[in-house]
Amino acid sequence: MKRRDLFFYLPVAVAGGFFVWFGARVYNLRFRSRPQAGEPTWREGPRVLVGRKGELGVWGVRSFEYPLPTGPLRAFLLRLPEPAPGGLSLEEEHYIALSRICTHQACVLHYVPDPEAGSLLYNFRHKRPFLGCPCHFGAFDPLLGGKAVYGPPRHPLPRLRLEAEGEDLYATGHEVPLRPMEGG
């Protein structure tokens, strides 16, 4: 190979590599399927009061910390309009507790109550409120049990087990594996 041929083939190889990477990235972000949030496997944990029945309106949210041996886990308690996998239903009230830690690269999630604002902030149009990752613009749907519905995250958010005692709601454990801390 002559030196002048190298000046032709090197940029072609670099451009070809870029387009292969870009195609793989588009496929992973838009077309590769994401696992559903199935039936959770629970790990026992401390009993922590996280709310009271009836104090949140539909799509209401409260953040709380759940104690773990490695440090507190940031989490959300959400009241939903219908039952969700891994959630708690009490007559006409439906709740779910989800980790606030993104399963992609452990950024702290935000609750996005306005889907129209979410379409501008996260470049993702959804028909209902969702949990958004401000680092890489991932989105998770609480009604689907925290399933990743957009962006780089592949896995659903870990859920926390909820139990009711009278009017009080308690978190009593978490789903395993507790991504991204436990992998799996």
Side-chain angles (χ1 to χ4, degrees), residues 37-40 42 59 78-89 93-98 128 141-147 159 162:
E39 278 302 310
W42 300 114
W59 287 115
L78 291 107
R79 181 173 171 195
L80 304 173
E82 59 190 61
L88 174 68
S89 292
E93 295 184 18
H94 311 285
Y95 297 92
I96 192 166
L98 297 166
R128 56 182 168 254
D141 190 335
L143 267 182
L144 299 177
K147 179 184 177 189
R159 296 164 282 189
L162 291 174

Side-chain angles (χ1 to χ4, degrees), residues 26-127:
V26 167
Y27 171 77
N28 280 334
L29 288 175
R30 298 293 295 170
F31 303 110
R32 189 170 146 205
S33 64
R34 293 172 167 88
Q36 299 288 333
E39 278 302 310
T41 302
W42 300 114
R43 179 177 294 156
E44 289 295 322
R47 185 178 180 85
V48 175
L49 179 67
V50 295
R52 295 186 53 79
K53 184 179 173 194
E55 80 180 336
L56 294 176
V58 174
W59 287 115
V61 65
R62 163 179 288 143
S63 58
F64 66 95
E65 290 187 349
Y66 188 73
L68 294 174
T70 57
L73 173 69
R74 294 177 176 182
F76 278 130
L77 172 68
L78 291 107
R79 181 173 171 195
L80 304 173
E82 59 190 61
L88 174 68
S89 292
L90 304 168
E91 299 163 8
E92 296 299 315
E93 295 184 18
H94 311 285
Y95 297 92
I96 192 166
L98 297 166
S99 167
R100 285 187 69 188
I101 307 302
C102 181
T103 57
H104 176 234
Q105 289 190 347
C107 295
V108 178
L109 301 176
H110 296 279
Y111 176 63
V112 183
D114 181 5
E116 196 59 35
S119 69
L120 296 171
L121 295 171
Y122 292 90
N123 195 29
F124 171 65
R125 187 170 302 279
H126 204 44
K127 52 189 167 271

